Structure formats: C-alpha cells, structure tokens
Amino acid sequence: MVKAAYSRDTTPGTSPRTRILVAGGGYVGMYTAIRLQQKLKSELERGDVEIVVVSTEPYMTYQPFLPEAAAGSISPRHVVVPLRRVLYRCKIVSGEVRSVDHAKRTATFTTLATEEEGAGAIRIEYDELVLAPGSVSRTLPVPGLAEYAIGFKTVEEAIGLRNHVIEQMDIASSTREPALRDAALTFVVVGGGYAGVEALAELEDMARYATRYYHNIKPEDLKWVLVEASNRILPEVGEEMGKYAIRELRARNIDVRLDTRLDSCENRVAVLSDGSRLPTRTVVWTAGVKPAPVLAATDLPLNERGRLKCTAELTVEGAEHAWSAGDAAAVPDVTAKEPGAECAPNAQHAVRQTKVLAENIVASLRGQPLQTYAHKYVGSVASLGLHKGVAHVYGRKLKGYPAWLMHRAYHLSRMPTFNRKARILAEWTLSGLFKREIVSLGSLEHPRAEFELAAGGVPSRPLARRHEDPPLSARERRRGRTPGTRPGAPGAPSGEAPGEDRGRKGPDAPGVTEEG
C-alpha cells in the first residue's frame, strides 16, 4: 500500500489545505460535489479547500431513463453525465474505494492503473468524508442465477439487454427447432418494483413493434413473464394504481405471477415456486438492492441492514467529519408519524439530501449551525411503456397518458445539465416523427472478435455465441473477467461473492427501487 501524492498538502508557512473526499460519483456524490464547488468557490480558488471525487465510473447514470435507453427511445450516452465536465473545480479519480479508516482520516482505493503498476492500493488522507457508494443488486442463492441472469442497474446492462432481446428474435426467426424458438421468445423478469416493471414494459413495447419486420414472428408469439414474490407490484404508487398496472400489463398478454419466486434458472430453464418450468434464454433480475459492500470495510457504525447510521443533519452517528446520504445512509425521517422511521433509499430523497448535505459541510467548515433534513414523500410515477403509466402524487391518482406525460416531464426536469435535457427532448421529438430503431449492435461489446478471426486467431468469444451469455459490465471487463462467468460462478475470479457486482440505482420515481 502506498501513500503516493494523496497526502495532505502542507506548503511551508501556510495552513494545511482542507481536503473533502467524496467517495462515489452517483446521485449523492455528484450532486454534493456540484453544490460544494459552488458554495466553496472562493476557498477553492485560493487553494484553501480541495475536493477529490473517487468514482468507479467517470460519469453519473440517470437511472430512471435506463428503461427508455433499453427501448431505444433515448441514446445511451445521453442518460449519463460526465463527471469531469460538471465537476470542473474538483479532482476526479477513476477508482474504487476499498476501505475507510475514519479514526485515522484515511481511505484506500484502487484505480484502473493499480494492477499495471503493481504497487497495491493507494491511501488518501482527508479532513471531511462524504461516503456515498450507493447500492448493488440484492441477489439470492438461486441455482443458475450467476451464470444466466442479466441485471438492470447500469447503462451497459440496459443496452446489452436490448441487443440480447433483438438477437433472440433473430434466433427465433431463423431456427428450425420449435423448442429453441419458444425459449428464445420467452422473457422472464424477476422483481415487481419500478426497475422490473418499467424495464419489462419498455422492452415489451419495443419487441412487439419489432415483430412487424419479421415475416414469421407475431406479437402473440412473444411470452413475457413478470415474477413477483409479494402479492402486489409497484407498492409506492398505492394498491389501486398497482392493481391497474397489473390489469394493463395482462391486457398486453404479459403473464404477471404474484406470490411467486424464482427457484432456479439452471440450463436455461426458469423454475418457479408455483411449479412452472419455463424454457427461456432471458432472465432479468431486478429483485431489489442492498448497500455497497465497501460500507462493511469501514470503522463507521452500521444498522442491521448494513447502512450507515446517520443523524437528521446527515452526519454519521458518533463520527465527526463523516457524512452520508442516499442508499448508503439510514437517515431518520423527521416528517414521519411513526417513531424511528427512516427515509426510503430512493432518488427523491437522495437528490434533496445532497443540498442539505453540501450546505452542512460548508457550515461545519465555517463554524455555523447545521440544518436538519426534512422532506415529506410526495408520491411516485412510473412508465408502463410508450404513452402508458401510473402516478400517485400529492394524493392524486393518474393513469394512462397523463401519468406517462408526468413521468417524462418530472424526470426531464431532474436530469442534470441543460445539455442533456436538450438532447433528450430532441430525441423524444424525433422519435415521434420517425419509426423506432430495431437494430442490435451486440458486436460492439466484443469489437475485436472479427479481427481476431481474420488474423487467424481464436476469437476471445466465438462469433456464433456472442450473446449466449449475459453481457459483461464495464467493471467486469476492467477486471479481466472471462465471458460467461459471474462472481461465484465456475471460472470466476475468487474473492467476490455472488451479488457483489456494482449495480445501478433503480428507478423509484420520482426516485428508485426501495431496498428489499
């Protein structure tokens, strides 16, 4: 482990520069850093303060738009915000925080160059810590899940899933085997929260539209199955709107299975708890999230769910100069009637918490009193595909086109930067004038395969099987994981447990899927 150039600056004759370390570049990390660089502009220009952002990705993904990106309504590059562009007064480090020793005010992290350098993890000292690693997919020990399932928390997974669905239709159109055709046209989505329902609804819309360009596939040939372990879907929009969503999905020939679990998906057969066996080449797992594993590698207090114990001022309990918000933090909900209630881990709270968080850090540096975070949950909106949706906002219930329009308007207003807002609005306008794109660009995931074959070598992934395995995330590719393996799967690198892959924050509108 090396200390490198990340120790605090101590220029002779001056006071040490105050370093604010932001661990995470998601909702909380990016929005907090944006507000800090605004509030501390003069201190940053004088060199009295330094803001360092350590993020596994050089961009923030606006996850509520992932379903539309998967359906082709929005370009993938427009649902992400480059950190280096918006955090121009901060130092951006592309890396992953591995541990935190807050008693010594140090954190260790690895970068893309760490393995090449062979020097081990890097240690960085800090004065103020914003720990915002977000959440990862919450998985269960389901046989075959690690080998065959696809997640839906990153932009890579969303686009990989789009390519996969279109390729399954290509396979079904060209095969002579009825069993292979049926399996290719069967799509199983596990999880009835916002991530699962919106992903299924958008992809089903896209696939149904695409059938008009296949001479031997009809819309009724597609089989979409939604598996939910509880007795309802979309609980955040209320029971009435949840039942409406079920009726809407079933009217589109989508098989909604309530009180049902996925018991196995080995050998490309989804076995459900109701006894059903569904041969399928597509299993999408969206069954909740859990706090990022790095929280367990800190000396900060955690609750029973593995989230940081925080105060209403967004400080970590019993730890001075440590702050958190969003999925990683258990923040008391001071507006709730029930004692001990906590704010839901969704984007609606996360984005609003960052404003208070940044202002409290500035107040702490300047010796001023801290604010208390208080926000009453206003409701939720969800898309059920093009021109369809449900909403429960400020006690009012909307469905159909008005709810869908509200969903788009709300999330467009929340999308960071005018640049991204304008591009998304332009794409929506053009999509209303022209036909949907139904092209699969799966070869982009393995651009060297054709050249390797032409050069007389063996492709790292056989050309005929490019999409038989779930798409790899950017993090997996950086770590050199071989195609077709997942943590805990045969051939996967040791040291990682199933479900520890970094995932996206699922839409839970106006926010994201709640934990659990």
Side-chain angles (χ1 to χ4, degrees):
M1 186 178 297
V2 297
K3 200 167 183 178
Y6 287 99
S7 56
R8 293 179 60 199
D9 296 334
T10 54
T11 304
T14 63
S15 300
R17 175 185 298 178
T18 299
R19 173 176 289 153
I20 303 173
L21 174 62
V22 181
Y27 284 84
V28 174
M30 189 194 75
Y31 279 107
T32 299
I34 287 176
R35 290 187 170 94
L36 284 175
Q37 71 180 7
Q38 294 171 347
K39 298 286 184 179
L40 298 173
K41 180 179 178 180
S42 57
E43 288 89 340
L44 288 167
E45 291 177 347
R46 292 196 305 267
D48 295 338
V49 174
E50 177 186 47
I51 303 173
V52 179
V53 180
V54 180
S55 175
T56 53
E57 305 290 355
Y59 53 80
M60 188 279 282
T61 303
Y62 191 73
Q63 295 147 0
F65 280 150
L66 283 182
E68 292 203 46
S73 300
I74 302 176
S75 173
R77 67 182 183 276
H78 295 159
V79 303
V80 298
V81 180
L83 297 180
R84 298 183 191 278
R85 176 178 294 175
V86 297
L87 302 179
Y88 47 87
R89 291 194 178 98
C90 304
K91 292 184 178 180
I92 309 299
V93 179
S94 293
E96 183 174 6
V97 174
R98 296 293 186 174
S99 63
V100 174
D101 187 347
H102 190 65
K104 297 180 179 179
R105 301 291 193 275
T106 62
T108 60
F109 65 91
T110 55
T111 69
L112 298 178
T114 299
E115 187 175 344
E116 297 288 338
E117 296 171 345
I122 301 171
R123 187 174 69 196
I124 180 173
E125 298 178 354
Y126 62 82
D127 299 283
E128 302 286 339
L129 172 67
V130 179
L131 191 52
S135 60
V136 298
S137 295
R138 179 175 63 89
T139 58
L140 299 175
V142 176
L145 185 68
E147 293 82 2
Y148 298 109
I150 305 173
F152 199 78
K153 283 183 66 64
T154 67
V155 67
E156 295 91 350
E157 287 175 328
I159 304 311
L161 182 57
R162 167 188 169 81
N163 293 331
H164 175 83
V165 169
I166 295 176
E167 182 162 294
Q168 297 312 301
M169 297 179 69
D170 291 336
I171 291 173
S173 176
S174 58
T175 185
R176 297 179 180 180
E177 298 182 21
L180 176 58
R181 173 187 168 89
D182 291 343
L185 295 181
T186 299
F187 308 94
V188 178
V189 178
V190 183
Y194 278 95
V197 171
E198 290 191 332
L200 179 146
E202 292 285 353
L203 287 169
E204 190 274 339
D205 248 358
M206 179 201 71
R208 180 160 36 83
Y209 175 87
T211 58
R212 66 182 65 185
Y213 299 103
Y214 288 85
H215 69 281
N216 57 352
I217 299 180
K218 300 178 181 178
E220 52 267 27
D221 295 335
L222 303 174
K223 185 175 184 179
W224 291 85
V225 183
L226 177 63
V227 179
E228 169 54 38
S230 68
N231 62 356
R232 58 193 294 192
I233 66 172
L234 302 176
E236 293 82 4
V237 298
E239 184 175 358
E240 182 182 341
M241 291 294 97
K243 290 180 178 179
Y244 167 80
I246 292 176
R247 291 196 302 270
E248 171 67 24
L249 294 176
R250 286 175 173 167
R252 291 158 57 179
N253 201 32
I254 296 174
D255 186 0
V256 180
R257 308 278 185 102
L258 302 178
D259 296 312
T260 306
R261 300 180 307 278
L262 176 68
D263 288 342
S264 171
C265 58
E266 288 184 304
N267 302 318
R268 298 194 181 281
V269 177
V271 181
L272 306 184
S273 60
D274 61 5
S276 302
R277 296 176 60 85
L278 304 173
T280 178
R281 297 168 60 86
T282 308
V283 175
V284 184
W285 182 268
T286 64
V289 297
K290 64 181 180 181
V294 68
L295 297 183
T298 72
D299 56 351
L300 299 172
L302 306 178
N303 68 1
E304 63 281 359
R305 288 193 172 187
R307 300 166 69 194
L308 291 168
K309 293 182 179 179
C310 292
T311 67
E313 290 75 31
L314 304 177
T315 62
V316 178
E317 283 187 6
E320 294 183 353
H321 310 291
W323 314 77
S324 188
D327 284 6
V331 180
D333 188 353
V334 298
T335 66
K337 297 179 181 179
E338 304 83 8
E342 297 176 353
C343 296
N346 58 44
Q348 183 178 148
H349 282 296
V351 174
R352 288 171 171 81
Q353 286 170 353
T354 59
K355 182 178 180 180
V356 176
L357 176 56
E359 291 179 353
N360 280 352
I361 292 176
V362 174
S364 176
L365 294 176
R366 296 173 178 172
Q368 300 171 350
L370 306 184
Q371 301 180 34
T372 297
Y373 173 73
H375 171 68
K376 188 174 182 181
Y377 192 68
V378 300
S380 302
V381 293
S383 170
L384 298 179
L386 190 62
H387 300 161
K388 297 174 285 290
V390 291
H392 189 184
V393 181
Y394 292 111
R396 301 191 63 179
K397 301 172 184 177
L398 299 173
K399 56 187 178 182
Y401 186 84
W404 172 83
L405 192 61
M406 177 178 289
H407 173 271
R408 279 199 165 184
Y410 174 81
H411 287 300
L412 182 65
S413 70
R414 295 296 174 181
M415 185 71 192
T417 78
F418 176 79
N419 178 300
R420 288 299 187 265
K421 285 184 174 70
R423 290 179 182 272
I424 289 174
L425 186 59
E427 288 191 312
W428 282 343
T429 302
L430 291 174
S431 66
L433 300 175
F434 300 101
K435 296 180 180 180
R436 278 180 183 257
E437 291 291 343
I438 58 168
V439 177
S440 170
L441 297 177
S443 58
L444 292 176
E445 299 168 26
H446 309 282
R448 295 192 66 248
E450 295 282 358
F451 180 78
E452 289 172 345
L453 184 64
V458 178
S460 56
R461 199 174 200 183
L463 299 181
R465 298 182 64 252
R466 288 180 188 160
H467 296 286
E468 288 194 9
D469 298 312
L472 300 183
S473 68
R475 182 179 175 188
E476 289 174 318
R477 290 193 295 271
R478 286 201 301 269
R479 292 186 175 183
R481 189 169 296 161
T482 56
T485 63
R486 282 292 189 269
S494 59
E496 294 188 56
E500 295 298 306
D501 281 353
R502 179 175 174 271
R504 80 174 179 90
K505 195 175 189 180
D508 177 277
V512 296
T513 301
E514 290 192 13
E515 180 182 351

